[in-house]
């Protein structure tokens, strides 16, 4: 009798961008939900910053994956997908990791692009171009997220003043949180608006780079690869951040970038690739709603 599959534990959160990579991977590899235990780490409550979770993932990020056969958890989406590809070899389609050296390099370049600072979705989530943006942000759940994170970091820094992890994040989160408080001056705001505008110019350049690198019908060509499984959650998160609910509606993303780059438009290959992947069962399973 064959041994029962080992139980995988995925540390995730429904609103996480990069956790979507793993959920797509599970769906693409047709790993039964009974084989996976999902542990929700609520980022809105800063549970990812708790010392117990940092023992699992020292970066304080999701996703993470554990299995009985592992000596330590996997905490990088690329490594997690490599594991899933080995854990459940494909029978009807090529594996997610390309075999061809050029395809592998192309997939790597695309993953690096959507993980780059130029395409950081934090720009869409928190960037502001004027005071109206500031006011909208202060009335949104995203401000609650920043405030809860700052409060948690303040608690952890007080309890462990020499901990570099907490100190660095307390400073970084505090700098962003500052823009949405009464302590922020007019000069602070203007600098923030300029920084956001510069970010959108880089974002537009990054989207044009994505357009050039996509091959079709999928990111690297005829078959779904690890590249697709990283680009999809990134674009979904970008759309969700703008209030988009219908996956085919890319207009809000274009409109946001055009506030800084007036002639910007998403390229035809990017649009076709997104439509193609949206037809897959894995997308319907992992992205019942954009997040």
């Amino acid at each position: 009798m064959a041994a029962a599959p080992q139980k995988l534990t995925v540390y995730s959160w429904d609103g996480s961008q990069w956790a979507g990579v793993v959920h797509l991977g599970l769906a693409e590899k047709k790993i039964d939900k009974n084989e996976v235990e999902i542990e929700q780490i609520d980022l809105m409550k800063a549970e990812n910053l708790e010392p117990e979770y940092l023992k699992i993932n020292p970066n304080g990020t999701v996703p993470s994956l554990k299995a009985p056969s592992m000596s330590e958890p996997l905490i990088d989406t690329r490594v997690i997908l490599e594991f899933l590809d080995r854990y459940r070899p494909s029978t009807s389609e090529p594996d997610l990791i390309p075999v061809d050296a050029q395809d592998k390099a192309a997939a790597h370049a695309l993953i690096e692009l959507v993980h780059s600072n130029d395409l950081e979705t934090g720009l869409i989530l928190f960037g502001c171009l004027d005071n109206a943006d500031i006011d909208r942000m202060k009335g949104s759940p995203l401000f609650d997220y920043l405030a809860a994170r700052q409060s948690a970091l303040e608690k952890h820094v007080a309890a462990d003043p020499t901990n570099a992890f907490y100190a660095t994040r307390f400073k970084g989160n505090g700098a962003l949180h500052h823009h949405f408080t009464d302590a922020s001056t007019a000069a602070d705001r203007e600098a923030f608006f300029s920084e956001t505008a510069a970010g959108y110019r880089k974002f537009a350049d990054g989207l044009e780079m994505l357009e050039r690198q996509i091959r079709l019908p999928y990111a690297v060509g005829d078959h779904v690869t690890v590249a697709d499984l990283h680009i999809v959650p990134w674009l979904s998160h970008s759309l969700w951040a703008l209030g988009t609910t219908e996956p085919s509606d890319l207009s809000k993303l274009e409109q946001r970038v055009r506030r800084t780059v007036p002639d910007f438009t998403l390229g035809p290959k990017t649009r076709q690739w997104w439509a193609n992947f949206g037809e897959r069962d894995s997308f319907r399973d992992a992205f019942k709603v954009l997040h």
Side-chain angles (χ1 to χ4, degrees):
M1 178 181 291
Q6 59 180 321
K7 190 84 167 182
L8 307 179
T9 301
V10 173
Y11 297 85
S12 180
W13 187 58
D14 292 339
S16 165
Q17 170 176 291
W18 296 122
V21 175
V22 177
H23 291 286
L24 277 178
L26 293 168
E28 282 288 336
K29 301 304 290 187
K30 297 179 172 56
I31 296 173
D32 192 277
K33 295 185 188 302
N34 292 328
E35 296 177 54
V36 185
E37 181 178 357
I38 305 295
E39 292 281 350
Q40 293 286 344
I41 305 298
D42 193 336
L43 303 190
M44 291 294 289
K45 296 179 180 178
E47 290 178 354
N48 57 309
L49 302 176
E50 292 298 323
E52 284 305 306
Y53 184 65
L54 294 181
K55 293 176 184 177
I56 296 168
N57 185 328
N59 296 327
T61 57
V62 293
S64 304
L65 184 146
K66 288 199 309 186
S69 61
M70 294 177 184
S71 59
E72 60 184 25
L74 304 181
I75 61 175
D76 183 290
T77 52
R78 287 159 282 203
V79 177
I80 292 173
L81 289 184
E82 289 173 6
F83 168 80
L84 294 178
D85 223 21
R86 296 191 303 270
Y87 176 79
R88 187 60 48 80
S90 298
T91 56
S92 59
E93 295 187 58
D95 285 334
L96 297 173
I97 308 295
V99 175
D100 178 80
Q102 289 186 338
D103 290 347
K104 187 176 291 187
H108 175 77
L110 283 162
I111 293 171
E112 289 294 304
L113 177 61
V114 296
H115 278 274
S116 71
N117 289 335
D118 288 355
L119 288 179
E120 169 58 58
T121 54
L123 175 73
I124 298 175
L125 290 165
F126 304 111
C128 295
L129 292 166
D130 55 31
N131 284 315
D133 286 348
I134 293 281
D135 290 340
R136 279 193 293 272
M137 174 66 185
K138 288 168 71 173
S140 79
L142 291 173
F143 178 76
D144 296 335
Y145 163 81
L146 282 179
R149 183 175 169 87
Q150 193 65 9
S151 177
L153 286 165
E154 185 175 9
K155 177 190 73 174
H156 292 307
V157 167
D160 191 359
T162 63
N163 188 307
F165 172 89
Y166 289 130
T168 300
R169 283 155 182 79
F170 179 68
K171 181 179 179 180
N173 191 81
L176 180 57
H177 181 254
H178 168 79
H179 294 301
F180 306 103
T181 68
D182 293 339
S184 179
T185 66
D188 291 337
R189 295 273 176 90
E190 287 303 319
F192 184 38
F193 300 156
S194 295
E195 180 184 337
T196 298
Y200 273 113
R201 286 189 285 273
K202 290 182 179 180
F203 200 87
D205 290 342
L207 286 167
E208 290 177 2
M209 178 67 73
L210 179 66
E211 174 73 11
R212 290 194 294 272
Q213 292 186 10
I214 284 176
R215 294 180 179 176
L216 293 179
Y218 298 109
V220 180
D222 291 337
H223 307 291
V224 169
T225 68
V226 289
D228 298 280
L229 272 56
H230 281 85
I231 307 171
V232 167
W234 163 80
L235 184 51
S236 172
H237 205 60
S238 299
L239 297 176
W240 168 83
L242 294 167
T244 302
T245 57
E246 173 54 51
S248 63
D249 179 12
L250 301 172
S251 63
K252 289 185 177 68
L253 179 58
E254 287 186 320
Q255 291 164 12
R256 176 59 62 89
V257 178
R258 285 173 184 162
R259 290 179 64 187
T260 304
V261 186
D263 61 349
F264 173 78
T265 186
L266 278 170
K269 288 198 298 180
T270 303
R271 291 175 175 275
Q272 186 59 58
W273 164 81
W274 180 242
N276 291 346
F277 202 96
E279 293 298 315
R280 295 188 68 84
D281 290 341
S282 63
F283 182 86
R284 296 190 181 101
D285 181 72
F287 288 87
K288 295 179 176 68
V289 294
L290 296 176
H291 58 270

